[in-house]
Amino acid sequence: YDKLIIIHADDQYPVECIAQLVELHSKGNAAMSLGTRLKHPDIKKVMPKFRYTVNNIHGAVNNLVYGLKLDEWNSEFRLYDLKFMRGVDIDRLGNSSNYTLDSLIAIKLNGGEIDQFVIPCNYPPDAHHPAFWDSVFYGIHNLYRALKYILFKR
């Protein structure tokens, strides 16, 4: 296989946009293509305000630190180019909610490109919402990764 698509299973992401994701990816040479919710015109109507605010702050800080221009750093609607990823030391990537962040950083460090397009978002009542302490540890991991990148460019 040369592509891997990951979609969070809690119905937040529109599976009907998979064809768009594949089409976007086929038009370029990106190591990852992702769907972003944060620029969709209806996002403030469906995403809890706290999550929307934190996601935007998180994105702004990460774009500044890593020199990227991503609309979202937490998208669980992604396509990986496995030809590119075979050259990445994936054993160094996190194996939890940190995987998305770690893989974006690894792609940046290995000279890969990231494509993105706007997708709608749904927040059904049973949608996944991380526990408070999981969010705290995720934030600490983000700060650790940013400091590590700033100091050592890795």
Side-chain angles (χ1 to χ4, degrees), residues 38-120:
L38 296 179
K39 295 297 181 187
H40 193 276
D42 293 333
I43 189 63
K44 290 182 182 178
K45 296 176 188 172
V46 295
M47 183 180 273
K49 186 176 183 174
F50 171 78
R51 289 180 65 102
Y52 176 79
T53 303
V54 170
N55 273 309
N56 276 291
I57 293 168
H58 177 238
V61 170
N62 282 345
N63 283 332
L64 181 66
V65 169
Y66 301 106
L68 295 173
K69 295 179 181 176
L70 298 179
D71 295 330
E72 179 173 5
W73 282 75
N74 297 308
S75 179
E76 298 295 334
F77 190 85
R78 326 184 277 279
L79 183 151
Y80 290 94
D81 184 302
L82 295 180
K83 291 177 189 170
F84 180 89
M85 293 304 289
R86 284 184 186 102
V88 173
D89 183 4
I90 61 170
D91 291 331
R92 297 183 71 200
L93 304 181
N95 61 1
S96 63
S97 59
N98 300 325
Y99 187 82
T100 303
L101 173 71
D102 291 349
S103 62
L104 288 166
I105 296 166
I107 289 168
K108 161 76 175 173
L109 289 171
N110 285 277
E113 295 179 27
I114 302 164
D115 290 334
Q116 57 187 350
F117 73 107
V118 176
I119 58 171

Side-chain angles (χ1 to χ4, degrees), residues 4 7 26 51 56 76 98 125 133 139 143:
L4 171 67
I7 302 173
S26 68
R51 289 180 65 102
N56 276 291
E76 298 295 334
N98 300 325
W133 287 110
L143 294 173

Side-chain angles (χ1 to χ4, degrees), residues 5-8 10-24 35 37 40 42 76-77 117-123:
I5 296 174
I6 295 178
I7 302 173
H8 200 280
D10 69 354
D11 200 29
Q12 287 184 38
Y13 297 89
V15 294
E16 60 273 10
C17 292
I18 291 173
Q20 258 183 289
L21 181 66
V22 172
E23 181 181 347
L24 169 70
R37 308 162 290 175
H40 193 276
D42 293 333
E76 298 295 334
F77 190 85
F117 73 107
V118 176
I119 58 171
C121 165
N122 183 33
Y123 270 87

